[in-house]
Amino acid sequence: MPTTGNTPSAGTGTGADTGTGTGTGAGQSWTALRHLRHLLDLLDRGAPAEQFAPPTVSARGPHLDESDAAVVAEATRVALRIRRTLGQHRRREAELAALFDTAGDLARLRDLDAVLKAIVRRAKLLLGTDVTYLSLNDDEAGDTYMRVTDGSVSAAFQQVRLGMGEGLGGLVAETARPYSTGDYRDDQRFRHTTTIDGAVTEEGLRAILGVPLRLGTRVIGVLYAADRTARTFTPDEVALLSSLADHAAIAIDSARLLDETRSALVDLNEASRTIEAHSDAMRRAEDAHDRLTDLVLRGADITDVATAIGTVLQGGTLIHDADGTELARSGTDSGQPSARAVAASRTGGRAVSADGTWVCAVLAGPELLGSIALTGRPDLGDADRRLFERAGVVTALLLLQRRSVAEAEDRVRGELLGDLLTGAADPASLPARARRVGVNLDHPHAVFVLHCATASRQRLMAAGARVAHSRKGLAGLHHDDVVLVLPVGHTGPGDGVGVGVGAAGLAGELGQALAAPVTVGAAGPVTGSGRFPGAHAEALRCRTALRALGREGSGAALGDLGFLGVLLGDQTDLGGYVRRTLGPVLDYDAKRGTELVHTLRTYFDEGTSQSRAAEALHVHVNTVVQRLDRIGRLLGRDWQRPERALELQLALRVHRVQRPDDSAAPPPA
């Protein structure tokens, strides 16, 4: 019995010592299974490739024999292949999701420039290259030109044009096939030119991939991705950029069709307005045919009408417009008509007597055009009264004709002003057009942008037009703003006055005429039609800055605004600066309706004193502390360092200045 009880132990021990027993084999298999399970765990959590290394020789030791080690090594290779396949699937899934997002983004865009910028920006994000850009074919010139870039730093590169077949892009545009190069400068497959090679060298590009933008069989441009280091583009990258190009081509075509539709609608509306104006003129002509007297048949003007009325009715005559400005007089001293008498005549539609003077409102339907006053005839009979009232009808017709001529002239002047400020017309034709309306563009001119919060735009426009006419300048509406272009020597009292001083004088003159504060932003002087768009943009920034700074009713140029004026004049991306500096805080306020930006501004205005800031904000000091702590978490711990604090204060000031005119801005600091 003792011998029988010890036999299993002896057998097990021997197997363990020799490595051939049943227990040892099971242990080895169990170790191999643990390695296989480990590989599955690595695949499950997406571990990096280096963690898939098979067991080392020392790890085998007494635990794995050669056959099990070979099985584990082969399983490791299979696991790595599976990992690569899964990675490719995940990457492709991400790319497809990005393409769907891109298609949705492009479908929401309507402006062609916005579509093109979105295309190159998304291409840069998807491929992770240094630079992306897009060129469009010019069918008339027979080449392709750079339209928009992202990541480019070279001006020459951004303006380059490629002939069909020239360079990589020209070859793609000509053949409608994608091409790529690992190092463009040394790649002799492409037709190199001095212009293209110089632009590529200046940009520092090495590896370039270009794919065609196709609409059916027609190529409309090329989409590119490029790096400044040599590399090889993979087939997946080529396919990804090609897919994006297909979406982009459709979006570009849709944007173009939308632009054409808008242009057609504008033309249609203009035609409708022309027909309507012609119809009004015909109705006025029919009315004139029925009502005109000998005065109209002789082509009399306002002075002739006044003289004739005074002669026929044996009295003195005064004619005023709707604003009370005297237009003509005959046989009497000038004087202002009674506003009460004009209102009574307008209401009753008949001439009325006031203190021995007869007054007749000059009407066109319900619209008041002016008034006629007859003096020296207190005993006006019915017949003479009807004749006086008929004189009012004749005067109305003449005033309407005069207004039509003035509106036609103002329309011509307004179109000229619009072309000057947009730079859309042929610059060579503008001086001749200006001379036809009495404006000499060879003389230095200043640009003034006006704003009045209390008076209507029509009244402000009328007052500005009177100033422009008297000073041989232009007045008109441009992007809903009243804009004046005046010769420099006529911007204010005296020749040679500075533009800022002239703007201040103009603000005072218009404010007095309208009995309301008028804000005037000025820029210039400029000579030559090509410089007016920039001057208008500067004057608009100045006007906006004046309003944001609480200087309503004043006039100035950017040079009069000190450092803020210099900043507004030179900085072209102030919005981007504000976003970069205050973006997290602005987003937080916008999302949650908080006042962190206002708190930050008040904190700086109060000399970084938390207690004084709390008093100014009418909150407890603990609330200020909590808000500043939140600001610190949004902007970073270093936000109160002197350099960073200066940037934040400048961004806060620019953010306030850049508020739209129609939004409520807080009072200036």
Side-chain angles (χ1 to χ4, degrees), residues 283-297 363-365 389-397 400:
R283 284 194 296 270
R284 287 197 301 271
E286 292 173 357
D287 186 55
H289 182 270
D290 295 334
R291 301 187 179 188
L292 283 181
T293 63
D294 292 340
L295 287 175
V296 177
L297 292 174
L363 302 173
E389 292 168 353
R390 184 173 179 83
V393 175
V394 174
T395 303
L397 290 173
L400 284 174

Side-chain angles (χ1 to χ4, degrees), residues 173-438:
E174 182 181 54
T175 64
R177 295 174 55 192
Y179 281 92
S180 67
T181 177
D183 194 340
Y184 177 79
R185 290 176 296 183
D186 298 332
D187 198 329
Q188 299 305 314
R189 292 179 300 160
F190 309 106
R191 190 193 309 170
H192 291 261
T193 67
T194 302
T195 301
I196 298 173
D197 287 359
V200 171
T201 300
E202 183 173 323
E203 188 64 53
L205 299 183
R206 301 285 296 278
I208 304 175
L209 168 62
V211 298
L213 295 168
R214 287 177 293 201
L215 287 175
T217 59
R218 184 168 64 95
V219 177
I220 63 172
V222 180
L223 180 62
Y224 306 83
D227 276 325
R228 295 188 173 92
T229 57
R231 56 164 289 196
T232 300
F233 287 97
T234 66
D236 287 344
E237 290 175 317
V238 176
L240 178 60
L241 192 62
S242 297
S243 297
L244 181 60
D246 292 338
H247 289 297
I250 297 173
I252 291 172
D253 190 52
S254 298
R256 281 178 171 173
L257 291 175
L258 185 60
D259 284 343
E260 292 174 359
T261 302
R262 287 171 176 166
S263 299
L265 289 175
V266 169
D267 293 341
L268 181 59
N269 289 335
E270 184 63 28
S272 298
R273 285 192 293 269
T274 302
I275 294 172
E276 183 179 355
H278 181 69
S279 177
D280 290 341
M282 290 294 294
R283 284 194 296 270
R284 287 197 301 271
E286 292 173 357
D287 186 55
H289 182 270
D290 295 334
R291 301 187 179 188
L292 283 181
T293 63
D294 292 340
L295 287 175
V296 177
L297 292 174
R298 290 189 288 106
D301 60 15
I302 297 296
T303 303
D304 293 333
V305 170
T307 302
I309 293 172
T311 300
V312 171
L313 296 177
Q314 300 177 354
T317 309
L318 289 168
I319 300 179
H320 293 79
D321 66 10
D323 293 328
T325 303
E326 182 180 301
L327 301 178
R329 63 188 174 102
S330 177
T332 185
D333 295 332
S334 61
Q336 196 73 15
S338 167
R340 180 178 297 177
V342 173
S345 175
R346 180 182 184 182
T347 302
R350 301 293 305 274
V352 298
S353 178
D355 300 328
T357 299
W358 284 90
V359 177
C360 180
V362 179
L363 302 173
E367 181 183 1
L368 178 66
L369 299 179
S371 64
I372 305 176
L374 180 65
T375 63
R377 286 293 309 272
D379 57 341
L380 196 65
D382 289 342
D384 285 345
R385 180 179 178 180
R386 286 193 297 270
L387 180 58
F388 181 51
E389 292 168 353
R390 184 173 179 83
V393 175
V394 174
T395 303
L397 290 173
L398 293 178
L399 289 179
L400 284 174
Q401 291 176 357
R402 176 176 170 174
R403 186 172 70 176
S404 297
V405 172
E407 288 176 350
E409 182 179 350
D410 289 341
R411 185 161 53 249
V412 172
R413 289 173 173 268
E415 290 173 354
L416 173 61
L417 179 69
D419 290 343
L420 277 175
L421 299 184
T422 60
D426 179 13
S429 67
L430 294 177
R433 290 170 57 190
R435 284 193 295 271
R436 286 196 290 270
V437 295

